[in-house]
Amino acid sequence: MPEQLAFAMEVFLNGLMAGVLYALVALGFVLIYKASGIFNFAQGVMALFAAMTLVGIQNGQVPFAHLINAIFGTHVHTFGWNVPSVFALIFTVIVMILLAWAVQRFVFRHLVGQEPIILFMATIGLAYFLEGFADLMWNSEIKKLDFCMTANTCLPQGINLAIDEFTFNAFGYGFFIDNLDITATIVAGILVAALIAFSQYTKQGRAMRAVADDHQAALSVGISLNFIWVLVWSLAGFVALVAGIMWGAKSGVQFSLSLIALKALPVLMLGGFTSIPGAIVGGLIIGVGEKLFEFWVGPLVGGATENWFAYVLALLFLVFRPQGLFGEKIIERV
């Protein structure tokens, strides 16, 4: 019995850590939806693009190398040097800010006041464009992500995840939690606290909420819609970068990384599309719930319950509480 309790505690803690990673992705959705009313289908691809850009810069890879070689008959692939992780991170943040500006300048600037379905379809197109652009820019090979602040503090390398683990003892039994999951939890906590403070206590944060309520009214009181949209897409890009680093270090940087957005959907349905704390709580519920359900019920039904548990739970919430735990209940009078 104590052994089962210790194992259940390990499953519970690993579920919490997985939930944090889900919540990191959901945060990007919440930021954009909260500020602009747009459900950004491209958030998962943004995490992929950010992670691929970080790895490409780290490795000194020449952007569009395959295209350049095909046109000019050259065989250039790298610059011949590696870039330290900190500088690569800074350059990647700049790239994501430029991406945010481009998205606002060439896409959503022309869609102000359009119906939500039009904006949603625009994000679908953006997702496929970014995926193809990332392939063209950095190629489609699976890449290892080594993020080192110093020589001795690296995130685990790609698929070789089990090299650093933290050991706990409970009921006389030891169990393990990956250092990457602990790091993700700390980073997510800091990120959420910073985003909540920014949204509630800064002039730009209040302007973001005003834009979310009514684009035209925000314009009429002097709020720059262009600036706010660049700001919110930049923040979502930074969140996508953090999520891409964590997921890329866990499973390698590959195109399936963009599918993490699908796991964020149940998180949003549970926590609410407009709540930053809701994204965290929803992620933790999904992470813990699917791990414990697999632990207790999985053996009785043949396993593989993690593939569908989150979506069944989200369906129940849609039926009985469609606004989620922390979402706003919107009443429209006709």
Side-chain angles (χ1 to χ4, degrees):
M1 189 67 176
E3 183 179 0
Q4 291 181 342
L5 289 176
F7 189 43
M9 185 176 295
E10 180 178 357
V11 172
F12 175 81
L13 289 176
N14 279 290
L16 286 177
M17 304 303 178
V20 168
L21 293 178
Y22 296 154
L24 276 176
V25 183
L27 274 177
F29 285 96
V30 170
L31 280 172
I32 293 179
Y33 190 85
K34 189 178 179 67
S36 61
I38 300 173
F39 180 79
N40 180 24
F41 188 81
Q43 188 65 31
V45 182
M46 288 173 62
L48 167 69
F49 179 78
M52 292 184 70
T53 301
L54 177 64
V55 174
I57 294 174
Q58 279 183 314
N59 296 336
Q61 187 175 344
V62 177
F64 307 105
H66 288 285
L67 182 62
I68 294 172
N69 293 335
I71 294 175
F72 298 103
T74 56
H75 299 280
V76 177
H77 297 283
T78 65
F79 290 108
W81 65 78
N82 293 335
V83 178
S85 297
V86 174
F87 293 108
L89 179 63
I90 294 172
F91 290 144
T92 305
V93 170
I94 294 173
V95 169
M96 297 307 290
I97 293 174
L98 292 175
L99 173 64
W101 175 85
V103 167
Q104 187 280 329
R105 176 66 177 81
F106 298 109
V107 181
F108 292 105
R109 178 183 178 183
H110 306 286
L111 298 176
V112 175
Q114 294 294 326
E115 294 295 324
I117 186 61
I118 301 297
L119 301 176
F120 174 65
M121 294 301 294
T123 66
I124 293 178
L126 177 63
Y128 284 104
F129 170 79
L130 271 181
E131 189 168 332
F133 189 76
D135 186 9
L136 187 64
M137 190 173 185
W138 302 114
N139 74 56
S140 58
E141 297 175 357
I142 298 177
K143 302 172 179 65
K144 287 184 178 181
L145 176 56
D146 302 329
F147 191 80
C148 306
M149 302 300 292
T150 67
N152 297 320
T153 57
C154 297
L155 291 181
Q157 298 183 9
I159 301 173
N160 300 323
L161 184 63
I163 54 176
D164 286 318
E165 295 179 320
F166 192 82
T167 304
F168 288 91
N169 287 303
F171 306 106
Y173 296 91
F175 55 91
F176 307 96
I177 296 178
D178 298 313
N179 281 348
L180 172 60
D181 291 334
I182 297 175
T183 303
T185 302
I186 296 173
V187 170
I190 296 173
L191 193 60
V192 170
L195 289 173
I196 292 175
F198 177 82
S199 177
Q200 298 293 330
Y201 303 112
T202 66
K203 180 180 179 181
Q204 291 78 10
R206 291 190 292 270
M208 285 168 53
R209 298 202 306 275
V211 169
D213 289 336
D214 192 316
H215 296 167
Q216 299 298 338
L219 283 171
S220 69
V221 297
I223 295 175
S224 173
L225 193 61
N226 292 339
F227 171 76
I228 293 300
W229 275 19
V230 170
L231 175 63
V232 72
W233 279 85
S234 297
L235 289 174
F238 179 74
V239 172
L241 172 59
V242 175
I245 291 174
M246 298 303 170
W247 280 96
K250 193 177 185 70
S251 59
V253 178
Q254 52 190 312
F255 275 84
S256 61
L257 186 64
S258 63
L259 299 179
I260 58 176
L262 298 179
K263 212 50 177 287
L265 296 180
V267 173
L268 294 169
M269 293 173 189
L270 264 67
F273 282 82
T274 59
S275 174
I276 293 176
I280 298 299
V281 174
L284 296 178
I285 292 175
I286 292 294
V288 172
E290 69 179 15
K291 297 293 184 183
L292 290 178
F293 192 82
E294 175 70 25
F295 175 64
W296 280 316
V297 181
L300 303 177
V301 297
T305 61
E306 290 187 39
N307 296 330
W308 52 263
F309 171 82
Y311 300 98
V312 172
L313 185 60
L315 179 61
L316 293 175
F317 266 77
L318 286 176
V319 172
F320 296 105
R321 190 177 175 83
Q323 73 270 26
L325 294 173
F326 296 88
E328 301 172 356
K329 190 174 183 178
I330 300 174
I331 301 175
E332 293 186 2
R333 292 181 173 86
V334 180

mmCIF file of all heavy atoms in Angstrom, residues 49-51 53-58 83-99 145 147-149 234 237-238 241-242 245:
data_model
loop_
_atom_site.group_PDB
_atom_site.id
_atom_site.type_symbol
_atom_site.label_atom_id
_atom_site.label_comp_id
_atom_site.label_asym_id
_atom_site.label_seq_id
_atom_site.Cartn_x
_atom_site.Cartn_y
_atom_site.Cartn_z
ATOM 1 N N PHE A 49 7.988 27.739 -34.641
ATOM 2 C CA PHE A 49 8.837 28.688 -35.358
ATOM 3 C C PHE A 49 9.871 29.313 -34.423
ATOM 4 O O PHE A 49 11.048 29.462 -34.779
ATOM 5 C CB PHE A 49 7.965 29.783 -35.986
ATOM 6 C CG PHE A 49 8.742 30.827 -36.735
ATOM 7 C CD1 PHE A 49 9.224 30.566 -38.001
ATOM 8 C CD2 PHE A 49 8.992 32.068 -36.165
ATOM 9 C CE1 PHE A 49 9.959 31.528 -38.701
ATOM 10 C CE2 PHE A 49 9.706 33.028 -36.847
ATOM 11 C CZ PHE A 49 10.194 32.758 -38.122
ATOM 12 N N ALA A 50 9.446 29.673 -33.201
ATOM 13 C CA ALA A 50 10.368 30.269 -32.236
ATOM 14 C C ALA A 50 11.465 29.284 -31.847
ATOM 15 O O ALA A 50 12.653 29.649 -31.786
ATOM 16 C CB ALA A 50 9.598 30.728 -30.999
ATOM 17 N N ALA A 51 11.088 28.027 -31.587
ATOM 18 C CA ALA A 51 12.083 27.018 -31.202
ATOM 19 C C ALA A 51 13.047 26.735 -32.346
ATOM 20 O O ALA A 51 14.266 26.610 -32.134
ATOM 21 C CB ALA A 51 11.382 25.734 -30.770
ATOM 22 N N THR A 53 13.851 28.771 -34.768
ATOM 23 C CA THR A 53 14.702 29.951 -34.925
ATOM 24 C C THR A 53 15.800 29.982 -33.875
ATOM 25 O O THR A 53 16.967 30.277 -34.180
ATOM 26 C CB THR A 53 13.849 31.229 -34.832
ATOM 27 O OG1 THR A 53 12.851 31.209 -35.861
ATOM 28 C CG2 THR A 53 14.706 32.470 -35.001
ATOM 29 N N LEU A 54 15.452 29.654 -32.629
ATOM 30 C CA LEU A 54 16.449 29.625 -31.556
ATOM 31 C C LEU A 54 17.552 28.610 -31.855
ATOM 32 O O LEU A 54 18.744 28.922 -31.749
ATOM 33 C CB LEU A 54 15.765 29.296 -30.230
ATOM 34 C CG LEU A 54 16.689 29.155 -29.012
ATOM 35 C CD1 LEU A 54 17.386 30.472 -28.710
ATOM 36 C CD2 LEU A 54 15.909 28.672 -27.792
ATOM 37 N N VAL A 55 17.154 27.399 -32.250
ATOM 38 C CA VAL A 55 18.142 26.363 -32.544
ATOM 39 C C VAL A 55 18.983 26.749 -33.762
ATOM 40 O O VAL A 55 20.205 26.560 -33.779
ATOM 41 C CB VAL A 55 17.449 25.004 -32.791
ATOM 42 C CG1 VAL A 55 18.452 23.954 -33.233
ATOM 43 C CG2 VAL A 55 16.751 24.535 -31.525
ATOM 44 N N GLY A 56 18.334 27.309 -34.781
ATOM 45 C CA GLY A 56 19.074 27.715 -35.975
ATOM 46 C C GLY A 56 20.121 28.763 -35.679
ATOM 47 O O GLY A 56 21.257 28.690 -36.161
ATOM 48 N N ILE A 57 19.750 29.752 -34.855
ATOM 49 C CA ILE A 57 20.714 30.795 -34.491
ATOM 50 C C ILE A 57 21.827 30.226 -33.630
ATOM 51 O O ILE A 57 23.011 30.545 -33.813
ATOM 52 C CB ILE A 57 19.990 31.951 -33.773
ATOM 53 C CG1 ILE A 57 19.029 32.658 -34.735
ATOM 54 C CG2 ILE A 57 20.999 32.955 -33.211
ATOM 55 C CD1 ILE A 57 18.167 33.721 -34.084
ATOM 56 N N GLN A 58 21.464 29.365 -32.667
ATOM 57 C CA GLN A 58 22.477 28.735 -31.815
ATOM 58 C C GLN A 58 23.524 27.989 -32.635
ATOM 59 O O GLN A 58 24.729 28.062 -32.355
ATOM 60 C CB GLN A 58 21.815 27.764 -30.842
ATOM 61 C CG GLN A 58 21.207 28.385 -29.615
ATOM 62 C CD GLN A 58 20.645 27.321 -28.689
ATOM 63 O OE1 GLN A 58 19.953 26.404 -29.122
ATOM 64 N NE2 GLN A 58 20.933 27.436 -27.412
ATOM 65 N N VAL A 83 26.424 30.283 -31.668
ATOM 66 C CA VAL A 83 26.070 31.495 -30.925
ATOM 67 C C VAL A 83 25.682 31.101 -29.501
ATOM 68 O O VAL A 83 24.904 30.158 -29.315
ATOM 69 C CB VAL A 83 24.888 32.225 -31.605
ATOM 70 C CG1 VAL A 83 24.487 33.463 -30.807
ATOM 71 C CG2 VAL A 83 25.261 32.609 -33.033
ATOM 72 N N PRO A 84 26.222 31.760 -28.470
ATOM 73 C CA PRO A 84 25.837 31.443 -27.086
ATOM 74 C C PRO A 84 24.324 31.544 -26.899
ATOM 75 O O PRO A 84 23.652 32.368 -27.531
ATOM 76 C CB PRO A 84 26.568 32.506 -26.255
ATOM 77 C CG PRO A 84 27.746 32.896 -27.105
ATOM 78 C CD PRO A 84 27.266 32.801 -28.526
ATOM 79 N N SER A 85 23.799 30.714 -26.009
ATOM 80 C CA SER A 85 22.350 30.603 -25.843
ATOM 81 C C SER A 85 21.687 31.919 -25.478
ATOM 82 O O SER A 85 20.592 32.238 -25.972
ATOM 83 C CB SER A 85 22.029 29.554 -24.780
ATOM 84 O OG SER A 85 22.473 28.275 -25.177
ATOM 85 N N VAL A 86 22.323 32.705 -24.613
ATOM 86 C CA VAL A 86 21.729 33.972 -24.183
ATOM 87 C C VAL A 86 21.564 34.913 -25.370
ATOM 88 O O VAL A 86 20.503 35.529 -25.559
ATOM 89 C CB VAL A 86 22.578 34.625 -23.077
ATOM 90 C CG1 VAL A 86 22.029 36.008 -22.739
ATOM 91 C CG2 VAL A 86 22.606 33.749 -21.834
ATOM 92 N N PHE A 87 22.600 35.039 -26.200
ATOM 93 C CA PHE A 87 22.507 35.914 -27.364
ATOM 94 C C PHE A 87 21.514 35.358 -28.384
ATOM 95 O O PHE A 87 20.777 36.116 -29.029
ATOM 96 C CB PHE A 87 23.885 36.092 -27.991
ATOM 97 C CG PHE A 87 24.852 36.843 -27.127
ATOM 98 C CD1 PHE A 87 25.906 36.187 -26.515
ATOM 99 C CD2 PHE A 87 24.697 38.201 -26.892
ATOM 100 C CE1 PHE A 87 26.799 36.865 -25.705
ATOM 101 C CE2 PHE A 87 25.574 38.899 -26.081
ATOM 102 C CZ PHE A 87 26.635 38.234 -25.480
ATOM 103 N N ALA A 88 21.495 34.035 -28.530
ATOM 104 C CA ALA A 88 20.527 33.423 -29.444
ATOM 105 C C ALA A 88 19.109 33.703 -28.979
ATOM 106 O O ALA A 88 18.212 33.956 -29.799
ATOM 107 C CB ALA A 88 20.777 31.912 -29.526
ATOM 108 N N LEU A 89 18.887 33.677 -27.659
ATOM 109 C CA LEU A 89 17.565 33.983 -27.111
ATOM 110 C C LEU A 89 17.170 35.422 -27.417
ATOM 111 O O LEU A 89 16.038 35.702 -27.820
ATOM 112 C CB LEU A 89 17.568 33.736 -25.606
ATOM 113 C CG LEU A 89 16.254 34.040 -24.868
ATOM 114 C CD1 LEU A 89 15.138 33.132 -25.367
ATOM 115 C CD2 LEU A 89 16.444 33.877 -23.366
ATOM 116 N N ILE A 90 18.104 36.338 -27.246
ATOM 117 C CA ILE A 90 17.826 37.754 -27.528
ATOM 118 C C ILE A 90 17.477 37.952 -28.999
ATOM 119 O O ILE A 90 16.501 38.635 -29.345
ATOM 120 C CB ILE A 90 19.035 38.624 -27.132
ATOM 121 C CG1 ILE A 90 19.233 38.595 -25.610
ATOM 122 C CG2 ILE A 90 18.840 40.065 -27.613
ATOM 123 C CD1 ILE A 90 20.498 39.269 -25.137
ATOM 124 N N PHE A 91 18.265 37.341 -29.887
ATOM 125 C CA PHE A 91 17.993 37.462 -31.320
ATOM 126 C C PHE A 91 16.626 36.861 -31.671
ATOM 127 O O PHE A 91 15.896 37.398 -32.513
ATOM 128 C CB PHE A 91 19.094 36.767 -32.125
ATOM 129 C CG PHE A 91 20.422 37.467 -32.082
ATOM 130 C CD1 PHE A 91 21.610 36.749 -32.055
ATOM 131 C CD2 PHE A 91 20.488 38.843 -32.053
ATOM 132 C CE1 PHE A 91 22.832 37.374 -32.007
ATOM 133 C CE2 PHE A 91 21.718 39.508 -31.999
ATOM 134 C CZ PHE A 91 22.888 38.762 -31.972
ATOM 135 N N THR A 92 16.280 35.751 -31.018
ATOM 136 C CA THR A 92 14.997 35.105 -31.295
ATOM 137 C C THR A 92 13.839 35.975 -30.830
ATOM 138 O O THR A 92 12.806 36.068 -31.510
ATOM 139 C CB THR A 92 14.916 33.731 -30.614
ATOM 140 O OG1 THR A 92 16.046 32.933 -31.012
ATOM 141 C CG2 THR A 92 13.642 33.002 -31.005
ATOM 142 N N VAL A 93 13.984 36.624 -29.683
ATOM 143 C CA VAL A 93 12.950 37.549 -29.212
ATOM 144 C C VAL A 93 12.755 38.676 -30.222
ATOM 145 O O VAL A 93 11.618 39.068 -30.532
ATOM 146 C CB VAL A 93 13.323 38.116 -27.827
ATOM 147 C CG1 VAL A 93 12.386 39.263 -27.442
ATOM 148 C CG2 VAL A 93 13.256 37.026 -26.763
ATOM 149 N N ILE A 94 13.856 39.183 -30.762
ATOM 150 C CA ILE A 94 13.762 40.238 -31.786
ATOM 151 C C ILE A 94 13.017 39.732 -33.015
ATOM 152 O O ILE A 94 12.172 40.432 -33.589
ATOM 153 C CB ILE A 94 15.169 40.739 -32.158
ATOM 154 C CG1 ILE A 94 15.808 41.453 -30.965
ATOM 155 C CG2 ILE A 94 15.107 41.681 -33.370
ATOM 156 C CD1 ILE A 94 17.260 41.837 -31.177
ATOM 157 N N VAL A 95 13.319 38.489 -33.421
ATOM 158 C CA VAL A 95 12.629 37.896 -34.569
ATOM 159 C C VAL A 95 11.134 37.784 -34.296
ATOM 160 O O VAL A 95 10.303 38.088 -35.171
ATOM 161 C CB VAL A 95 13.223 36.508 -34.905
ATOM 162 C CG1 VAL A 95 12.345 35.769 -35.917
ATOM 163 C CG2 VAL A 95 14.633 36.654 -35.452
ATOM 164 N N MET A 96 10.752 37.379 -33.082
ATOM 165 C CA MET A 96 9.333 37.235 -32.762
ATOM 166 C C MET A 96 8.637 38.601 -32.719
ATOM 167 O O MET A 96 7.456 38.710 -33.081
ATOM 168 C CB MET A 96 9.155 36.508 -31.428
ATOM 169 C CG MET A 96 9.701 35.078 -31.419
ATOM 170 S SD MET A 96 9.070 34.053 -32.768
ATOM 171 C CE MET A 96 7.359 33.856 -32.282
ATOM 172 N N ILE A 97 9.343 39.631 -32.289
ATOM 173 C CA ILE A 97 8.764 40.987 -32.317
ATOM 174 C C ILE A 97 8.554 41.441 -33.758
ATOM 175 O O ILE A 97 7.521 42.025 -34.106
ATOM 176 C CB ILE A 97 9.665 41.977 -31.553
ATOM 177 C CG1 ILE A 97 9.661 41.640 -30.055
ATOM 178 C CG2 ILE A 97 9.194 43.416 -31.767
ATOM 179 C CD1 ILE A 97 10.634 42.471 -29.241
ATOM 180 N N LEU A 98 9.536 41.168 -34.610
ATOM 181 C CA LEU A 98 9.388 41.498 -36.032
ATOM 182 C C LEU A 98 8.235 40.717 -36.655
ATOM 183 O O LEU A 98 7.482 41.254 -37.494
ATOM 184 C CB LEU A 98 10.692 41.211 -36.777
ATOM 185 C CG LEU A 98 11.880 42.114 -36.434
ATOM 186 C CD1 LEU A 98 13.139 41.626 -37.153
ATOM 187 C CD2 LEU A 98 11.581 43.564 -36.805
ATOM 188 N N LEU A 99 8.080 39.461 -36.247
ATOM 189 C CA LEU A 99 6.957 38.665 -36.738
ATOM 190 C C LEU A 99 5.632 39.282 -36.297
ATOM 191 O O LEU A 99 4.680 39.371 -37.095
ATOM 192 C CB LEU A 99 7.067 37.231 -36.213
ATOM 193 C CG LEU A 99 5.876 36.307 -36.510
ATOM 194 C CD1 LEU A 99 5.723 36.088 -38.020
ATOM 195 C CD2 LEU A 99 6.047 34.966 -35.803
ATOM 196 N N LEU A 145 17.659 20.635 -28.832
ATOM 197 C CA LEU A 145 17.680 21.962 -28.235
ATOM 198 C C LEU A 145 18.501 21.921 -26.956
ATOM 199 O O LEU A 145 18.114 21.288 -25.975
ATOM 200 C CB LEU A 145 16.246 22.431 -27.931
ATOM 201 C CG LEU A 145 16.106 23.771 -27.205
ATOM 202 C CD1 LEU A 145 16.812 24.878 -27.985
ATOM 203 C CD2 LEU A 145 14.642 24.113 -27.009
ATOM 204 N N PHE A 147 19.825 24.441 -24.262
ATOM 205 C CA PHE A 147 19.759 25.834 -23.811
ATOM 206 C C PHE A 147 20.582 25.963 -22.546
ATOM 207 O O PHE A 147 20.199 25.482 -21.483
ATOM 208 C CB PHE A 147 18.321 26.272 -23.557
ATOM 209 C CG PHE A 147 18.196 27.747 -23.342
ATOM 210 C CD1 PHE A 147 18.191 28.617 -24.417
ATOM 211 C CD2 PHE A 147 18.105 28.271 -22.068
ATOM 212 C CE1 PHE A 147 18.092 29.985 -24.231
ATOM 213 C CE2 PHE A 147 18.004 29.632 -21.865
ATOM 214 C CZ PHE A 147 17.997 30.489 -22.948
ATOM 215 N N CYS A 148 21.737 26.609 -22.636
ATOM 216 C CA CYS A 148 22.691 26.680 -21.527
ATOM 217 C C CYS A 148 22.924 28.134 -21.139
ATOM 218 O O CYS A 148 23.382 28.932 -21.952
ATOM 219 C CB CYS A 148 24.023 26.046 -21.910
ATOM 220 S SG CYS A 148 23.880 24.353 -22.529
ATOM 221 N N MET A 149 22.583 28.472 -19.898
ATOM 222 C CA MET A 149 22.936 29.793 -19.391
ATOM 223 C C MET A 149 24.426 29.861 -19.076
ATOM 224 O O MET A 149 25.093 30.860 -19.289
ATOM 225 C CB MET A 149 22.127 30.113 -18.132
ATOM 226 C CG MET A 149 20.619 30.067 -18.354
ATOM 227 S SD MET A 149 20.072 31.239 -19.608
ATOM 228 C CE MET A 149 20.380 32.785 -18.766
ATOM 229 N N SER A 234 3.488 40.355 -29.797
ATOM 230 C CA SER A 234 4.859 40.192 -29.315
ATOM 231 C C SER A 234 4.879 39.396 -28.012
ATOM 232 O O SER A 234 5.719 38.511 -27.821
ATOM 233 C CB SER A 234 5.513 41.562 -29.104
ATOM 234 O OG SER A 234 5.614 42.284 -30.304
ATOM 235 N N GLY A 237 4.154 35.914 -28.800
ATOM 236 C CA GLY A 237 5.340 35.317 -29.413
ATOM 237 C C GLY A 237 6.379 34.942 -28.373
ATOM 238 O O GLY A 237 7.033 33.895 -28.485
ATOM 239 N N PHE A 238 6.541 35.784 -27.342
ATOM 240 C CA PHE A 238 7.496 35.468 -26.273
ATOM 241 C C PHE A 238 7.034 34.251 -25.479
ATOM 242 O O PHE A 238 7.844 33.375 -25.143
ATOM 243 C CB PHE A 238 7.664 36.673 -25.344
ATOM 244 C CG PHE A 238 8.617 36.425 -24.209
ATOM 245 C CD1 PHE A 238 9.982 36.376 -24.443
ATOM 246 C CD2 PHE A 238 8.151 36.227 -22.921
ATOM 247 C CE1 PHE A 238 10.875 36.134 -23.398
ATOM 248 C CE2 PHE A 238 9.029 35.990 -21.872
ATOM 249 C CZ PHE A 238 10.394 35.948 -22.119
ATOM 250 N N LEU A 241 7.743 31.307 -27.470
ATOM 251 C CA LEU A 241 9.171 30.977 -27.409
ATOM 252 C C LEU A 241 9.491 30.171 -26.151
ATOM 253 O O LEU A 241 10.203 29.158 -26.212
ATOM 254 C CB LEU A 241 9.998 32.268 -27.442
ATOM 255 C CG LEU A 241 11.505 32.127 -27.187
ATOM 256 C CD1 LEU A 241 12.155 31.199 -28.207
ATOM 257 C CD2 LEU A 241 12.174 33.497 -27.191
ATOM 258 N N VAL A 242 8.965 30.613 -25.008
ATOM 259 C CA VAL A 242 9.207 29.883 -23.757
ATOM 260 C C VAL A 242 8.627 28.472 -23.844
ATOM 261 O O VAL A 242 9.282 27.487 -23.471
ATOM 262 C CB VAL A 242 8.592 30.644 -22.567
ATOM 263 C CG1 VAL A 242 8.727 29.827 -21.282
ATOM 264 C CG2 VAL A 242 9.267 31.993 -22.398
ATOM 265 N N ILE A 245 10.764 26.337 -26.123
ATOM 266 C CA ILE A 245 12.006 25.904 -25.479
ATOM 267 C C ILE A 245 11.747 24.695 -24.589
ATOM 268 O O ILE A 245 12.473 23.692 -24.632
ATOM 269 C CB ILE A 245 12.625 27.054 -24.661
ATOM 270 C CG1 ILE A 245 13.158 28.150 -25.592
ATOM 271 C CG2 ILE A 245 13.762 26.538 -23.771
ATOM 272 C CD1 ILE A 245 13.643 29.385 -24.860
#
